[in-house]
């Protein structure tokens, strides 16, 4: 049984020396180390085990206290949000199904209309009138001189185009 130092225990547990002293102060009287003639702790293996046990217990309790209430609140919020998202997805799925049914119905109606117009043959209203140029004016001697007259554009940067 080799005696250990506070520094070596702190290094093993990856904590500060001050924390080791705090743990020693919190140990039960029968677990506390004795002091030598120079007023230093004599730490044997049983004391090291007691310090490790106390440190492990205090660490798990601290983690439970810190995380469990927050985790429960966060989990409840996330569950509610997830339920809401499920309802939204269900509603959007229903709307999508309705839209697909509507598109299918519209396509069927369009196909029926196309079948009836192509089977009846061209009606008089379907024939284009000859020489009906209401959309296009053809150039004649009176309205076309072979030169285009452009009107100057007026705008914010018209002075750049000069």
């Amino acid at each position: 049984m080799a005696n250990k130092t506070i520094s070596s225990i702190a290094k093993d547990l990856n904590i500060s020396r001050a924390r080791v002293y705090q743990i020693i102060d919190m140990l039960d009287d029968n677990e506390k180390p004795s002091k030598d003639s120079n007023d230093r702790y004599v730490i044997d293996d049983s004391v090291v085990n007691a310090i490790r046990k106390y440190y492990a217990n205090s660490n798990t309790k601290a983690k439970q206290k810190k995380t469990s209430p927050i985790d429960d609140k966060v989990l409840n919020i996330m569950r509610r949000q997830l339920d809401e998202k499920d309802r939204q997805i269900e509603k959007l799925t229903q709307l999508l199904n309705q839209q697909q049914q509507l598109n299918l119905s519209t396509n069927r109606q369009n196909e029926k209309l196309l079948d009836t117009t192509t089977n009846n043959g061209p009606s008089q209203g379907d024939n284009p009138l000859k020489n009906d140029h209401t959309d296009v004016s053809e150039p004649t001697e009176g309205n076309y001189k072979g030169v285009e007259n452009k009107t100057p554009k007026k705008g914010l940067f018209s002075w750049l185009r000069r």
Side-chain angles (χ1 to χ4, degrees):
M1 279 192 200
N3 288 340
K4 292 206 168 205
T5 63
I6 298 290
S7 297
S8 66
I9 295 171
K11 189 175 180 182
D12 288 344
L13 295 176
N14 199 22
I15 59 175
S16 68
R17 288 179 14 184
R19 180 68 179 132
V20 175
Y21 281 112
Q22 286 176 347
I23 293 172
I24 290 173
D25 288 341
M26 293 180 190
L27 290 175
D28 293 334
D29 289 335
N30 59 348
E31 294 176 327
K32 283 189 180 183
S34 59
K35 291 189 177 186
D36 64 5
S37 59
N38 294 331
D39 203 32
R40 290 187 300 191
Y41 286 115
V42 177
I43 302 174
D44 59 5
D45 289 340
S46 64
V47 175
V48 172
N49 289 337
I51 291 172
R52 284 188 178 157
K53 184 178 176 183
Y54 184 88
Y55 177 70
N57 287 340
S58 66
N59 245 10
T60 55
K61 286 179 185 176
K63 284 181 182 176
Q64 286 175 352
K65 286 181 183 178
K66 288 180 183 175
T67 59
S68 68
I70 294 172
D71 285 345
D72 290 342
K73 288 179 183 177
V74 170
L75 283 174
N76 287 335
I77 290 169
M78 291 177 80
R79 283 186 186 118
R80 284 196 303 265
Q81 288 178 344
L82 189 59
D83 290 342
E84 179 63 27
K85 297 300 176 198
D86 286 343
R87 284 192 292 275
Q88 290 174 353
I89 289 171
E90 181 65 30
K91 187 173 182 177
L92 288 173
T93 303
Q94 289 174 352
L95 289 172
L96 183 61
N97 287 339
Q98 289 175 355
Q99 181 65 37
Q100 288 174 342
Q101 292 295 325
L102 183 61
N103 284 343
L104 183 62
S105 172
T106 304
N107 286 343
R108 286 181 184 159
Q109 288 176 353
N110 287 343
E111 287 175 5
K112 285 181 184 177
L113 285 173
L114 284 174
D115 285 346
T116 57
T117 57
T118 55
N119 289 341
N120 289 342
S123 65
Q124 189 171 356
D126 292 337
N127 289 335
L129 296 175
K130 293 181 181 178
N131 296 328
D132 182 18
H133 301 289
T134 55
D135 292 341
V136 179
S137 62
E138 293 180 2
T140 61
E141 286 188 33
N143 68 0
Y144 183 70
K145 298 177 184 174
V147 178
E148 292 185 26
N149 292 329
K150 289 189 175 179
T151 57
K153 295 182 179 178
K154 297 191 179 194
L156 183 61
F157 296 105
S158 63
W159 58 272
L160 283 175
R161 292 188 202 114
R162 293 182 192 165

